[in-house]
Each structure stands twice: as structure tokens, then as C-alpha cells.
Amino acid sequence: MEAAISPLPDDVEALKALVAAMARKADEAEAKLANAMAHQSAIEALIAHLKLQIAKLKREQYGPSAERSRRLLDQMELQLEELEADAAEDDLIAEGAAAKTATVTALERKRPTRKPFPGHLPRERVVVPAPCSCPACGGDRLSKLGEDVTETLEVISRSWKVIQTVREKFSCRDCEKIAQAPAPFHVVPRGWAGPSFLAMLLFEKYGEHQPLNRQAERFAREGVPLSLSTLADQVGAAAHALMPIYKLIETHVLAANRIHGDDTTVPVMAKGKTDTARLWVYVRDDRPFAGTDPPAALFHYSRDRRGEHPQAHLAAWSGILQADAYSGGYNDLYRGDRAPGPVMEAGCFAHARRKFFELADVLSSARKKSRGQRSSMIYPIALEAVQRLDALFDIERGINGKSPAERLAVRQELSAPLMAELHTWLTAQVAKLSRGHDLTKACFYMLKRWDAFTRFLDDGRICLTNNAAERALRCIPLGRKAWLFCGSDRGGQRAAIIYTLIQTAKLGDVDPQAWLADVLARIADHPATRLDELLPWNWTPHRNAIAA
């Protein structure tokens, strides 16, 4: 049976009306579809936002050094960025489609609440001209009731300027001698770079990981061509000028009774290849036990990883060293007959936990299995070890920031029994496993250094992990991706100096670039006996400093 088809009207006006009705229905369908897509995008963005918040809360709960957590957070933030952009684009499409209809209302997506713009930003008032007469009746007797202000964040492109310092010459009519004011100070003798420019150059290279060749290309696009060798000359001179500040930070770090130590690789140019050099860091951070001394980070460079380097760095120091188990580098420091005194080793539970975690990574194994890949074996012993260590971390999170006495009392009451049980349990597991098994190696990592791992039970200043040093070293792997290698050993030493300054400023919540600009402007005329006033934790911006 054939379907009945309604005949089209023969009247032209009726046809026009039918076409108009069909167009309206099409517009409504398009608007509804656009609304649905916008709604779906908004839901996806909200889900991604909530997942990110959950992940951040888990990171706070389980510690900042949780395996892969930083990388996963970066990936989730990137995903959220794209989904928010998609949702905003779909909103505009839905709004445009709804505007064509009279029956469909555009979706109003609930957006995250934006914080007010910072109060220190300058405000420029742009007043819309008031009407001369009433738009309703045409009367000219208008009285102001108030005003509505809409704030729009804007950025002004970086501006360059040349400061001309004029030094007039005068001749004495009596003695015929010529008098003139002294030339302004430059970091480079007879130099040309101002302190703000130098601070930007240093911070971009070492703080934002932008090599000088990329900076030179950007400067040229902005109409200021500067050669690579010219910029490198300024970097070397600035590092030399800042050496006294570096020495003061070194003295401050090595005055601590407890420091964190770690090292990481840094490629350095050699003949036709690159060698693997090292950057060492020593961090003083007393905040976990309510210490009042400011935190600071000290970097050193070496061409290799021989133990003589940390021994030279800490030759005049004794105290508690929190570091990983690098026997070739630190063992000589732990000798009882060492002068000026032995260094007490404090083990890092994060390193110990990581060895078990890699053998109990349930999530990684599940992901590999879902992709059809061969998953590694999950060991129940490793899983139990992680849970036992996590119980200790839970206790530490509750006492972080308290005084050494308070921390020690809680540890003696809660952590000491757990450590005794852990030692008994590890010893029992070693007896069951073959000597070459990965689990045996993970157990022996703690058992062979048990004194170092239990030292936190007798001293409330000791932290459970060496995360303070690992956080300070994060700038190096980020930089390696951008500049690939150091050009020379001298370049590595300069990097250690500037990394010390930048990371110390960051630890004190000081803007590194603004601080460097002010220090470079003042250090030549500042009395040597009062250089400590320029350290980040004592720094007060100079009123006459040129804004960065």
C-alpha cells in the first residue's frame, strides 16, 4: 500500500508560508541540537574539573611525591583546558542558533566563579559619555544616580626604552679643573644593559628555561636585534656580580643542623659528544618542624658523580643529612672519625616506598591489560609493604608544621610500634624469598639502613622523606627539555649560581625576576657589610628600582 502524500498547495502565498514554517522548524531543530551539544560539552568539562579536584585532593592526602601524580595532574589539566575551550565554543554556537528562533532559549552554562582582579594592578577608567537628554522623553534635566563598572583584563606589549644618563661637565674658573659626576654602574664594565633587562635575561634562561638563542629571536621580532654572543656576555657578567649573594646563601644553608641533599644529571658538551655531568642541591627547610629560619637551596656543579664532590661541598659541615642511599657519594661523610664531625644519615621513606610501589602498581597493570599488553605481576607482599609505609605517612601529615618536641612525642607513641612491626615483617619476608628477587632487594634496602630509617624516631626535626631536595631539582629536568645540554663546565657552574638564587627566592615566595632586578641595581653601591639585606628573606624593594 502506498503512503498518502499531502499535495502541495498551488497558491504562491501558501507555498511561501509552508517554506517559512519548514525553515522555522529547521532553525528550532538546529538550535535544540546546538543546545544539546553545548550541554554535553558543559557536562564533560564539569566532570573533568571534578576529576582534577579529586586527583589534587588525593595528591595532598598521599603526599606530593606519589608516583606519576604530577604528570597525571598535568595531563588532566591539559584535558580540562581543551574541554573548557570546547564548551565555550559550543555555547557561542548554541547562542547563535537560538537567536534565529523565537521558541528556543540558549543554554546558560554555569561557569566557574572568577576571582576579582588583583588590587595592585593599575586601573584605567574609560568613561562612556553620558546622554545629553533622556532617551525616553527627551528632557535634559538628568541627575546621576551612580555607575556600573565593568572590568576587563588587558595586557600591554613589552615596551623597550633607552635611558640616557647625562653627565654634564663643568670647568672651574678659579683652578681651571674639570668636574663631572661618575659614570653609572653597569654589571659589565662599560656595559649597556640595565638591571631589569639583565634580570629578565637570567630568569628567562634559568627560571623559564628559554635558551639565549630563542630570546634573541624574540627580541629581534620586537625590533631590538641583539646577538647571541652579546647576550651571553651579559649573563656571564651578571653571574659574576651576583656571586656575593650566592656565597651568603651558601653560608646560610650550611649553618643548618639538618639539610636535604640530592643530585641529578645534566648533559654537558664535550669533543664531538655530550658527557653526563651533575648538579647537586642542598636544601635548608625548617618549616616542617616550625623552624623560623628562612628556607634556601644551594646548587653545585660537577663534571661527574664521584664521592669527592659531596665531601668537598660539605667539608666544613656536620649534622643530619637527608638523602637517598648513594653509598659512593655519602658513605665517607658518615664515618665516626670524620672531622669536623660525623654526618648523621636520615633515610628517605619515599625512595623505600617507591621500590615496593613499582611491584604493587595495580593501576598500571590494569591499564596494560586493557590495552592487550603484557602486565607485570602484582605482588601481595609489595602491596602490604606500601600499606604499612602509608600508615607512617598518615601520622606524619598530622604533625607537619608542629614543634620538634610535639613531633617526637607523637612518633614515639604512634610510629615507633609500627616501625618495630615493620622490621619484624621485613625480616620474615626476606627469609621466605630468594636472594635475587626484586622484593628481597626492596626489603634489604631498608633493613641494611635500618638505623638511618629509624633516626626520625629520636629527633623531631627529621622529615620522613627527602622531597624538599627533589622539589628543588625539578627545574633541571624541565630545563633539559629546552636547552638540551650545558655548553661547558663554566656554563654548568653559572647555572648552579643562578639556580641557587632563583630557587631560594621561590622558596621564600619572592618574585625572582623583581628581586634580581633590584639586587643588580643596588649591589655595586651597597655596603659589603650589609649585603645580607639583599637576601630574599630580608629584601625590601628599593623605591628607585626600575620596574621589571
Side-chain angles (χ1 to χ4, degrees), residues 245-255 259-262 279-284 295-301 313-314 469 472-473 495-497 499-501 503-504 507:
I245 306 297
Y246 172 84
K247 290 295 184 182
L248 288 176
I249 294 176
E250 179 181 30
T251 301
H252 174 73
V253 170
L254 297 182
I259 60 175
H260 297 264
D262 204 353
L279 275 170
W280 307 77
V281 67
Y282 303 97
V283 178
R284 176 179 186 171
L298 172 66
F299 284 79
H300 284 290
Y301 168 84
H313 302 158
L314 305 176
L473 279 178
I497 294 170
Y499 278 134
T500 295
L501 303 179
Q503 295 303 317
T504 298
L507 283 173

Side-chain angles (χ1 to χ4, degrees), residues 24 112 167 182-183 201 212 224 230 271 281 396 430 438 462 497:
R24 283 195 299 272
R167 299 180 296 124
L201 202 65
L212 292 182
V224 186
T230 301
K271 293 182 179 179
V281 67
E396 288 298 309
V430 167
D438 289 339
I462 298 177
I497 294 170

Side-chain angles (χ1 to χ4, degrees), residues 455-478:
R455 191 153 281 130
F456 80 104
L457 297 175
D458 302 319
D459 194 327
R461 298 170 300 172
I462 298 177
C463 291
L464 212 61
T465 71
N466 194 34
N467 289 342
E470 293 190 0
R471 286 193 295 268
L473 279 178
R474 284 177 185 167
C475 58
I476 311 301
L478 290 173

Side-chain angles (χ1 to χ4, degrees), residues 122-142:
R123 261 63 176 179
E124 176 185 346
R125 283 178 62 91
V126 179
V127 181
V128 179
C132 297
S133 60
C134 176
C137 69
D140 58 358
R141 298 176 62 206
L142 299 178

